[in-house]
């Protein structure tokens, strides 16, 4: 049944590390990164780090090779492929960047499973340097959310997705994430949705501290094996509930009294 939208965070959810830190550490730029971190927003810092690495002779191919060996739990890719095969609409909302995310997803063979990637733009300029820009231009048009970093508000993206899928007749959402930035979208989920925070990570802690603010059902997970098991269980549960709802509506339609001449009154709409 294609009525389920599954939204994944990327860092420490699909992959087991923070992709920004992974690239910086693997390319030997950790000290400079830590030195500059107090002076600018994270997203701006990553753009600056790509400039520094380019100056040192690090190529795009070097960065791609580092990304291709990023650690991923062995059950994550099968979980994503299974959810896609079950007809779910899979999307990414991440504070990483599109170059890192697409490079990794293509390498492990699951890029085509995702209908949408919402993240900071990233592109290779004419000099061969990777540029990383903010999803939201916070200097010209700040998003105004005090729960999220200045360059992206995941909650606003979830609200936009909710509005679009309502027009498509899709009913339910499952959101998976770990970080502070994943708390805001958890507040946007409805009672019929599910939130899957990674246990003992910031989003899980914030949800536990503010449990009454989260309307969705909360199902924690610790690693890729648990993620796969819980995610597929939730998809199965939703599919069963949706099938039962359709059956009830169909039975109601079948038992409508006939009119005076044996004709049925105007048919009731059947939900999709």
């Amino acid at each position: 049944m294609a009525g389920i939208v599954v939204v994944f965070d990327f860092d420490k959810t699909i992959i087991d590390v923070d992709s920004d830190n992974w690239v910086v550490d693997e390319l030997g730029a950790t000290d400079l990164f830590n030195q500059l971190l107090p002076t600018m927003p994270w997203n701006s810092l990553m753009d600056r780090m790509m400039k520094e690495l380019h100056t040192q002779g690090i190529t795009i191919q070097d960065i791609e090779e580092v990304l291709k060996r990023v650690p991923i739990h062995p059950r994550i890719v099968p979980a994503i492929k299974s959810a896609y095969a079950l007809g779910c609409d899979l999307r990414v909302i991440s504070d990483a960047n599109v170059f890192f995310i697409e490079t990794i997803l293509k390498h492990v063979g699951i890029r085509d499973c995702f209908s949408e990637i919402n993240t900071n733009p990233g592109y290779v300029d004419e000099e061969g340097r990777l540029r990383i820009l903010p999803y939201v231009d916070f200097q010209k048009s700040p998003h105004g959310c005090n729960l999220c970093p200045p360059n992206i508000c995941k909650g606003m993206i979830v609200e936009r997705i909710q509005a679009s899928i309502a027009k498509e007749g899709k009913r339910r959402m499952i959101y998976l994430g770990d970080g502070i930035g994943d708390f805001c979208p958890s507040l946007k989920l409805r009672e019929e949705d599910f939130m899957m925070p990674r246990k003992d990570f910031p989003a899980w802690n914030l949800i536990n501290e503010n449990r009454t603010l989260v309307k969705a059902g909360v199902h924690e997970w610790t690693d890729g094996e648990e993620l796969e098991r819980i995610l597929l269980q939730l998809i199965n549960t939703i599919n069963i509930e949706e099938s039962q709802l359709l059956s009830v509506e169909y039975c109601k339609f079948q038992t409508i009294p006939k009119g005076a001449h044996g004709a049925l009154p105007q048919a009731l709409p059947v939900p999709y």
Side-chain angles (χ1 to χ4, degrees):
M1 194 173 291
I4 306 171
V5 176
V6 183
V7 179
F8 292 84
D9 173 40
F10 188 72
D11 293 334
K12 300 183 182 178
T13 298
I14 291 180
I15 64 174
D16 251 350
V17 296
D18 180 286
S19 58
D20 290 343
N21 287 138
W22 174 260
V23 169
V24 168
D25 293 346
E26 290 293 300
L27 293 175
T30 307
D31 289 343
L32 177 59
F33 180 90
N34 290 336
Q35 178 185 338
L36 295 174
L37 182 56
T39 68
M40 64 186 78
W42 185 286
N43 178 258
S44 304
L45 174 56
M46 282 305 298
D47 185 57
R48 170 69 180 276
M49 292 306 301
M50 295 304 104
K51 176 182 178 181
E52 297 294 336
L53 290 171
H54 179 70
T55 302
Q56 295 172 18
I58 300 296
T59 67
I60 292 298
Q61 290 71 32
D62 295 330
I63 296 172
E64 287 175 335
E65 288 307 309
V66 166
L67 291 168
K68 288 175 182 178
R69 59 176 186 263
V70 72
I72 303 178
H73 190 282
R75 298 312 308 167
I76 291 293
V77 171
I80 289 170
K81 288 183 176 179
S82 295
Y84 178 74
L86 289 168
C88 296
D89 179 357
L90 310 185
R91 309 189 187 203
V92 170
I93 303 179
S94 170
D95 195 10
N97 67 81
V98 70
F99 183 87
F100 286 7
I101 293 173
E102 291 205 331
T103 298
I104 294 169
L105 294 182
K106 287 175 183 176
H107 178 65
V108 298
I110 54 174
R111 172 60 187 90
D112 291 342
C113 293
F114 293 92
S115 65
E116 188 176 87
I117 295 177
N118 302 275
T119 188
N120 299 299
Y123 69 95
V124 181
D125 68 13
E126 64 277 1
E127 297 178 359
R129 168 194 163 192
L130 179 59
R131 297 301 311 273
I132 298 174
L133 305 177
Y135 182 84
V136 172
D137 187 340
F138 52 87
Q139 305 214 343
K140 290 184 179 178
S141 182
H143 55 63
C145 175
N146 59 11
L147 295 175
C148 294
N151 60 293
I152 190 169
C153 173
K154 294 184 177 184
M156 292 179 65
I157 299 173
V158 164
E159 287 181 321
R160 191 259 303 159
I161 293 173
Q162 288 172 328
S164 69
I165 65 178
K167 297 176 183 177
E168 301 168 11
K170 295 173 181 175
R171 297 171 177 271
R172 313 282 284 275
M173 182 180 291
I174 303 172
Y175 187 102
L176 302 92
D178 72 283
I180 293 175
D182 298 305
F183 177 62
C184 179
S186 77
L187 303 179
K188 310 298 183 182
L189 301 177
R190 304 160 302 172
E191 289 184 12
E192 59 265 36
D193 297 328
F194 294 102
M195 176 67 191
M196 289 182 58
R198 191 168 188 178
K199 186 177 180 180
D200 295 326
F201 282 70
W204 181 83
N205 291 327
L206 287 168
I207 289 170
N208 283 336
E209 293 168 5
N210 301 274
R211 191 64 189 85
T212 57
L213 300 180
V214 180
K215 300 175 184 176
V218 177
H219 295 262
E220 64 190 36
W221 57 279
T222 57
D223 58 20
E225 186 174 349
E226 274 199 343
L227 181 153
E228 179 184 37
R229 176 176 57 81
I230 295 169
L231 176 60
L232 297 183
Q233 283 179 350
L234 291 178
I235 293 170
N236 183 56
T237 297
I238 292 171
N239 281 337
I240 291 172
E241 290 175 357
E242 295 293 301
S243 296
Q244 290 173 342
L245 178 61
L246 287 174
S247 296
V248 169
E249 293 296 329
Y250 178 76
C251 290
K252 287 180 181 178
F253 176 78
Q254 291 295 313
T255 55
I256 294 173
K258 291 186 178 182
H261 300 287
L264 287 170
Q266 185 177 359
L268 296 176
V270 178
Y272 294 94

